[in-house]
Amino acid sequence: MHTQISQWDSVRAIQYERQQLRLLDQRLLPKQETYLTFDDAASVAQAIKDMVVRGAPAIGIAAAYGIVLEAQKLTAGLQTSLLTALDSAFLVLAESRPTAVNLFWALEQMKKTLIEQEQQPLQAQLDALLACAHRINEDDVLANKAMGELGASLMESDSAVYTHCNTGSLATGGYGTALGVIRSAYAAGKVKQVYAGETRPWLQGARLTAWELMRDDIPVKLSCEGAAGQLLRQGEVKWVIVGADRITAQGDVANKIGTYNLSVLARHHGVKFMVVAPSTTFDLSMTSGEDIPIEARPMHEVTAIQGQQIAPEHCEAINPSFDVTPHDLIDAIVCEKGILLPPYAQSIAQLLGQ
């Protein structure tokens, strides 16, 4: 299934066709544009772990389709309920990445659909699961475009912006979160230059964000992460715009490692800091960012780049995949339902509270 592609938005990394899931292998970009095909939940979970697909919304969408794939395989000779038969699929997908709350939200939507359809014929249950996965995908793109317009409305004309990691079509169903704001602002004539932080250790900014923006003819310059302070000190950059993997009830934000550094630099230099994420990224069960589980990834991702050792043999490394930016360093949080401003505990409760 393909969602609509428009100007300055030409990439779709997740495609469901002929009862198979195709994922653009983001480990190979920008050198190779290769799609891998999946037909069961375990292989989708491994693709999420291995960073074939990445970005909180994209992980949730891929997991939803992973449940569909597994359900399709189980239908022959099924002796128990589909909900029970899919227990292991739900578990393996839930364990693929611990920090991104969108993953658990998407799986919960699929489970809810199964519970609602449990008394229906098997084909009806399968059809409902596929419809739910398609809806999660399509709603993400619509939400991203809504966020794009909202976030762009906060920006001044002729702005330069700095972004971190990859938050575009590669990280979502399409259009992007933080990169969606940049796309909308560029279309409105508000952005003159984008600076993409390289984003060690996986270099998502260098390999993915730069590739996306260049493909869509949006002016981008790559920045070493150590150069961000000097760049912000020069005064050209007006906004740092980032995505999120989890946002607490008081507005603390877990995002790709290096985001917290940028928020401190931005505050020191008077640069505004915007977080852009769909409402599914908010975890209102958590108050403090201190409670967010932070994924620790293998040391070799830091000590080597694409298999080439850059540190001494047996050198130990730390590799937290995310950090937490406290709410008091954030100027605005944008979701598809509106613009959230400090104090966040109050504005989040008003906009998103049950």
Side-chain angles (χ1 to χ4, degrees):
M1 179 164 191
H2 300 275
T3 51
Q4 186 178 3
I5 293 176
S6 58
Q7 189 178 20
W8 300 308
D9 172 35
S10 62
V11 179
R12 289 295 177 269
I14 303 172
Q15 300 174 7
Y16 179 88
E17 295 176 337
R18 301 180 184 88
Q19 296 189 329
Q20 290 184 319
L21 182 64
R22 299 177 73 236
L23 298 175
L24 178 58
D25 190 345
Q26 299 188 30
R27 302 168 301 180
L28 302 179
L29 291 172
K31 291 182 180 179
Q32 296 179 43
E33 194 171 332
T34 301
Y35 282 83
L36 303 179
T37 301
F38 302 87
D39 61 6
D40 62 32
S43 62
V44 173
Q46 194 62 47
I48 293 170
K49 286 182 180 179
D50 292 345
M51 305 279 279
V52 172
V53 58
R54 34 132 315 270
I59 288 170
I61 294 164
Y65 282 122
I67 293 297
V68 172
L69 297 175
E70 195 68 22
Q72 289 167 173
K73 292 189 65 159
L74 288 172
T75 52
L78 189 65
Q79 300 297 316
T80 182
S81 77
L82 192 53
L83 181 62
T84 302
L86 286 169
D87 274 349
S88 60
F90 277 106
L91 182 61
V92 72
L93 286 163
E95 291 177 342
S96 60
R97 297 296 297 270
T99 303
V101 73
N102 307 64
L103 168 64
F104 308 106
W105 174 86
L107 291 174
E108 190 59 37
Q109 295 304 301
M110 299 298 282
K111 191 169 289 187
K112 182 180 175 182
T113 297
L114 274 177
I115 292 170
E116 291 172 349
Q117 299 290 323
E118 197 167 13
Q119 303 305 316
Q120 299 300 314
L122 194 56
Q123 187 58 50
Q125 295 182 50
L126 285 170
D127 292 345
L129 280 176
L130 181 56
C132 184
H134 283 335
R135 187 166 61 251
I136 289 170
N137 192 4
E138 293 165 357
D139 286 352
D140 181 66
V141 179
L142 293 173
N144 292 341
K145 291 183 175 179
M147 289 186 288
E149 296 300 317
L150 289 167
S153 73
L154 296 172
M155 298 171 63
E156 307 85 355
S157 296
D158 208 30
S159 293
V161 300
Y162 189 105
T163 192
H164 184 62
C165 197
N166 173 264
T167 58
S169 296
L170 292 170
T172 63
Y175 203 71
T177 55
L179 219 56
V181 168
I182 290 170
R183 283 190 163 101
S184 292
Y186 182 74
K190 290 187 170 184
V191 168
K192 64 178 181 180
Q193 183 66 57
V194 182
Y195 293 96
E198 60 179 350
T199 321
R200 282 280 287 141
W202 272 80
L203 299 171
Q204 293 99 322
R207 295 186 304 105
L208 307 180
T209 297
W211 177 80
E212 265 198 62
L213 293 176
M214 290 176 69
R215 183 182 175 120
D216 288 345
D217 295 322
I218 297 174
V220 59
K221 292 181 180 179
L222 189 62
S223 170
C224 292
E225 296 187 2
Q230 171 66 8
L231 179 63
L232 268 55
R233 187 182 71 82
Q234 292 171 349
E236 181 190 8
V237 174
K238 303 302 181 187
W239 282 92
V240 174
I241 307 177
V242 300
D245 287 78
R246 191 178 300 216
I247 303 173
T248 72
Q250 69 179 8
D252 297 335
V253 170
N255 193 47
K256 181 55 59 185
I257 191 73
T259 302
Y260 174 48
N261 305 31
L262 287 170
S263 71
V264 174
L265 287 170
R267 181 55 53 93
H268 180 76
H269 292 100
V271 175
K272 293 182 179 178
F273 194 91
M274 184 193 306
V275 174
V276 187
S279 57
T280 54
T281 306
F282 288 79
D283 185 351
L284 302 187
S285 71
M286 285 188 177
T287 301
S288 171
E290 297 297 321
D291 299 327
I292 298 175
I294 299 298
E295 177 185 2
R297 291 185 61 83
M299 288 190 291
H300 69 77
E301 294 179 351
V302 174
T303 58
I305 295 180
Q306 294 184 332
Q308 297 295 312
Q309 187 77 12
I310 60 171
E313 290 292 336
H314 310 301
C315 177
E316 294 190 354
I318 63 166
N319 190 14
S321 194
F322 302 90
D323 57 28
V324 175
T325 299
H327 59 274
D328 57 359
L329 292 178
I330 300 168
D331 292 287
I333 301 175
V334 176
C335 75
E336 78 281 7
K337 296 183 179 180
I339 297 169
L340 295 154
L341 300 172
Y344 291 113
Q346 179 178 327
S347 59
I348 290 172
Q350 288 176 343
L351 189 65
L352 302 177
Q354 300 302 315

